[in-house]
Amino acid sequence: MAGWTMHEGLAIALPLENIDTDQLIPARFMSTPRSEGYGKFLMHDMRRDADGGLKPDHPLNGPEAAGASVMITRRNFGGGSSREAAAYALVDGGFRAVVAPSFGDIFSSNAVNNGLLPARVSEEDAEALLAAAPGQAIVDLDASVVRMGGLVVPFELDPVWRLKLINGWDDIDLTRSHAQEIADFAKARRAASPWVWPEPVSG
Amino acid sequence: MNALRSMKAPRALFDKLWDAHEIHRRDDGGSLLWVDRHFVHEGSHHAFRKIAERGQGVAEPRLTFGVADHYVPTRGRGLRIADPAIARMVETLSKNAAEHGFKLFGLDDPRQGIVHVVGPEQGITLPGLLINCGDSHTSTHGAFGAYAFGVGATEVAHVLATQTIWQKKPRRMLIRVDGKLLPGVSAKDIALNWIARLGADGARGCAIEYAGEAVRALSMEGRMTLCNLSIEGGGRCGMVAPDETTFAYLKGRPYAPPAHLWDVAIADWAALATDDGAEFDREVSLHADEIAPIVTWGTSPEDALPITASVPDPATAATESDAQRIRAALSYMGLKGGAPLERIAVDQVFIGSCTNGRIEDLRAAASVLAGRKAKVPGLVSPGSSLVKAQAEQEGLDRIFVEAGLEWAASGCSMCVGMNGDIVAPGMRCASTTNRNFRGRQGPGARTHLMSPAMVAAAAVTGHLADVRPMLAGRI
């Protein structure tokens, strides 16, 4: 995963609360291999009618949303299931940042693991950005601000996640540098709490 | 040692779990934690592909357990799986189990079931453990006094490859439920009550400990329901300190500590309880006797009200944003603001899931359905194949079938609809599951969440109904 520090792109407004991961990607698409691309599944059932046609009134479907890479929305975005496919759908759909007053915790981790920024802003700032969109936005990870029109909106981001987004870290490589510590820990835990390791059960 | 310990600041259950698993702490606040149990399922295929691409194996196969649950058919068990994509995923899980050498409770195993039912049932879930699974309802296992949380595919791959996970310590939140629950009120109602009060993101970033007389009085099944729903209030995890109820449940389970380690384990587990004077970042207090049977009316678990209430009216909402949200939810749900909840007619019912698919849940539903007929069709999918066998031994299956409901095999089934058990567009389902999200039970499906007894009451009456009068002489 490539890291990034600054992103400039089209920001669009999705003024809805509680966009859960079932809405971000309905479960029935998740048996698809990632190599096929998940962008086409993004908010599938919100954006399409029963026959699969795009609903003209959905904010993501209009010509003004073409090429959008920043989404501005309301509270509790990405609540619900742990499906990382929700982050895949956003990333494959071209998004680099989602700006909202609150996010589902597991979704946030998944987003960061896929280079997608979950930027937490105040309710008032979210409303101001929603009113200003669509428009060009600059997302600055170093300064932790979103700039759009005349607005400069600070966002909250865990410092661990900021570094990860900037460096594009792969946790498995990072963790391997702690291999000896891990081995020592496991040995000590097993000695102190032998009941933690289950005995194999036949059958 | 005791003198030393007494000088330490009092710690909460969660602090003790965290401290026992912290391998390394970075300056920026990220900690590397040891993972004692890792559950995988057929939906974990993305993660296995990730470690295969890196040429890596499973670090601790003995601490890794597989279960086929999310996509498995609940009808025609024993036959070939008709859907090729599903057949491929179930087959891939078996191949991964064989290749990496971890224990699998596969489709044909008599112990198969939903991972959050099977883990505890087998004694794989224990107090004091850190438990991960690529499923948000992993919070269920916290009922045993474990630190259990769901993760996405990248983190599943990380746990497979390293048996560790990076986390930042969540805030500690205490939800205390004092007093006694009234008849007809269950753990599900406690959960929907606090989620309605605090919101679906009310516990965001928090590790929740449930305590108080009403929580102590819950069986392990009830505690699992309560902890399961922590995620629906935005919590990272939920937990209950282990006690005699926990120990009695675990004793003699296949993977529980054997006799020669049992006393050591009990001593370790008993020491997990929150110390007197331990601090929480947030405390919330509920009174059990004020909690009524609850149903959801909208498209988020926070849209929950006592059955005696009416559907919210957007015209009386506090803000325009609230009004807009209520209108959108009512439009999807096909409801009118101000209508009494008890008048909402349902088309079908579903009893099952990791939230309410355990033996006690089936007994609660059956106690209402016994000798009565359902006015609408419905599906009952036990939480595990062993729960199914036990229910059949107790004759519960006959009660469901005689009432007119279908008795099926175990899996995630109609809670998530991945296996084809779906609610048709526009149909309304009274459901014991955990999410009333748009499209959760199928495109256009309308879900009302409630307890198993309340679902049974809806089945019998054909509409959302207060189960309490129907329990006279039965409990």
Side-chain angles (χ1 to χ4, degrees), chain B residues 41-43 67-72 115 134-135 411-413 416 418-419:
Chain B
H41 53 82
E42 72 277 35
V67 186
D69 59 2
H70 277 69
Y71 289 86
V72 301
V115 59
D135 187 273
C412 296
S413 185
V416 67
M418 287 170 163
N419 72 337

Side-chain angles (χ1 to χ4, degrees), chain B residues 75 347-351 365-366 369 372-381 396-408 452 455-460:
Chain B
R75 297 156 171 123
D347 300 299
Q348 63 194 95
V349 302
F350 176 69
I351 298 170
L369 285 162
R372 292 174 169 142
K373 295 282 178 201
K375 286 194 175 154
V376 294
L379 182 66
V380 186
S381 173
L396 304 183
D397 59 321
R398 288 198 303 277
I399 293 175
F400 291 120
V401 170
E402 281 165 18
L405 304 182
E406 184 182 357
W407 180 248
V455 167
V460 168

Side-chain angles (χ1 to χ4, degrees), chain A residues 15-18 20-23 26-35 38 45-46 74-76 79-85 88 101-106 109-110 113-114 120 127 158-160 163-164 169-176 178 181-182 185-186 189-190 192-203, chain B residues 20-24 26 28 30 32 34 36-37 45-46 49-50 54 56 60 62-63 65 71 85 88-89 103 111 126-129 134-136 150-155 157-158 161-162 164 166 168 200-201 204-205 231 234 236 254-255 257-258 261 264-265 268-269 300 302 321 324-325 416 418 435 437-438 440 443:
Chain A
L16 296 170
E17 295 180 18
N18 291 330
D20 54 67
T21 52
D22 276 83
Q23 290 181 79
R28 64 185 183 279
F29 300 122
M30 283 156 45
S31 56
T32 311
R34 175 76 189 278
S35 53
Y38 271 45
D45 292 353
M46 296 171 77
R74 290 200 169 122
R75 66 173 266 271
N76 200 29
S81 129
S82 63
R83 60 187 71 169
E84 196 159 305
Y88 301 161
S102 63
F103 293 90
D105 280 338
I106 308 177
S109 301
N110 292 340
N113 280 326
N114 287 277
R120 207 162 76 237
E127 291 304 317
D158 186 302
V160 179
L163 267 182
K164 198 162 160 175
W169 274 344
D170 180 319
D171 277 350
I172 294 180
D173 286 340
L174 179 71
T175 304
R176 277 176 148 179
H178 298 284
E181 269 174 289
I182 296 170
F185 182 94
R189 179 151 180 77
R190 197 159 180 173
S193 310
W195 51 267
V196 169
W197 270 256
E199 296 296 329
V201 171
S202 57
Chain B
H21 292 88
E22 193 174 42
I23 301 167
H24 176 90
R26 285 202 307 250
D28 62 12
L32 186 64
W34 174 257
D36 296 307
R37 295 287 185 276
H45 60 98
H46 287 295
R49 186 182 42 73
K50 279 175 198 280
R54 305 173 64 101
Q56 262 172 323
E60 293 274 353
R62 200 169 144 192
L63 304 181
F65 293 85
Y71 289 86
R88 189 180 66 224
M89 279 195 293
K103 178 68 195 164
R111 296 162 291 185
L126 299 173
L129 301 186
D135 187 273
S136 60
V151 294
T154 300
E155 289 177 330
H158 187 275
T162 69
T164 65
W166 289 98
K168 192 180 169 186
D201 54 356
R204 189 182 51 77
I231 183 76
R236 198 73 184 91
Y255 287 87
L261 292 175
V264 180
D268 286 354
W269 298 345
S300 163
E302 70 187 19
S321 165
Q324 189 190 338
R325 199 178 74 73
V416 67
M418 287 170 163
R435 291 188 175 133
F437 296 164
R438 289 173 171 84
R440 170 79 177 184

Side-chain angles (χ1 to χ4, degrees), chain B residues 48-308:
Chain B
F48 280 105
R49 186 182 42 73
K50 279 175 198 280
I51 62 164
E53 281 169 1
R54 305 173 64 101
Q56 262 172 323
V58 173
E60 293 274 353
R62 200 169 144 192
L63 304 181
T64 308
F65 293 85
V67 186
D69 59 2
H70 277 69
Y71 289 86
V72 301
T74 50
R75 297 156 171 123
R77 243 344 135 68
L79 304 174
R80 232 168 49 114
I81 300 175
D83 183 321
I86 293 178
R88 189 180 66 224
M89 279 195 293
V90 172
E91 180 57 26
T92 301
L93 179 65
S94 300
K95 276 190 193 152
N96 279 316
E99 183 187 332
H100 298 292
F102 61 82
K103 178 68 195 164
L104 170 68
F105 303 103
L107 191 54
D108 301 320
D109 193 297
R111 296 162 291 185
Q112 176 273 343
I114 307 172
V115 59
H116 310 309
V117 179
V118 172
E121 200 170 68
Q122 290 299 315
I124 299 168
T125 300
L126 299 173
L129 301 186
L130 191 157
I131 301 175
N132 280 153
C133 174
D135 187 273
S136 60
H137 292 109
T138 306
S139 58
T140 310
H141 306 263
F144 290 80
Y147 175 22
F149 56 100
V151 294
T154 300
E155 289 177 330
V156 170
H158 187 275
V159 178
L160 286 172
T162 69
Q163 202 62 27
T164 65
I165 188 156
W166 289 98
Q167 288 288 294
K168 192 180 169 186
K169 193 175 179 185
R171 286 169 292 155
R172 294 153 304 182
M173 177 172 179
L174 178 69
I175 298 184
R176 168 176 288 282
V177 193
D178 292 311
K180 290 187 170 64
L181 288 176
L182 299 171
V185 182
S186 69
K188 183 72 159 279
D189 302 300
I190 299 177
L192 290 175
N193 180 292
W194 80 256
I195 295 166
R197 202 165 118 186
L198 303 182
D201 54 356
R204 189 182 51 77
C206 293
I208 305 168
E209 178 177 347
Y210 299 98
E213 185 189 355
V215 174
R216 284 283 139 232
L218 290 175
S219 64
M220 286 317 298
E221 284 83 354
R223 295 177 189 184
M224 283 189 257
T225 300
L226 190 58
C227 290
N228 172 282
L229 290 163
S230 304
I231 183 76
E232 305 314 329
R236 198 73 184 91
C237 57
M239 59 193 65
V240 176
D243 59 11
E244 289 302 326
T245 303
T246 322
F247 310 150
Y249 176 97
L250 287 171
K251 191 153 195 185
R253 302 259 167 195
Y255 287 87
H260 71 280
L261 292 175
W262 183 253
D263 289 345
V264 180
I266 293 274
D268 286 354
W269 298 345
L272 288 168
T274 290
D275 297 331
D276 287 339
E279 283 185 18
F280 288 87
D281 302 290
R282 266 183 92 184
E283 295 191 27
V284 175
S285 183
L286 310 177
H287 296 281
D289 57 3
E290 292 171 8
I291 300 174
I294 292 180
V295 298
T296 63
W297 53 268
T299 55
S300 163
E302 70 187 19
D303 300 337
L305 284 168
I307 181 64
T308 48

Side-chain angles (χ1 to χ4, degrees), chain A residues 119-136:
Chain A
R120 207 162 76 237
V121 300
S122 70
E123 294 267 358
E124 298 72 41
D125 284 342
E127 291 304 317
L129 289 169
L130 283 168
Q136 283 298 114

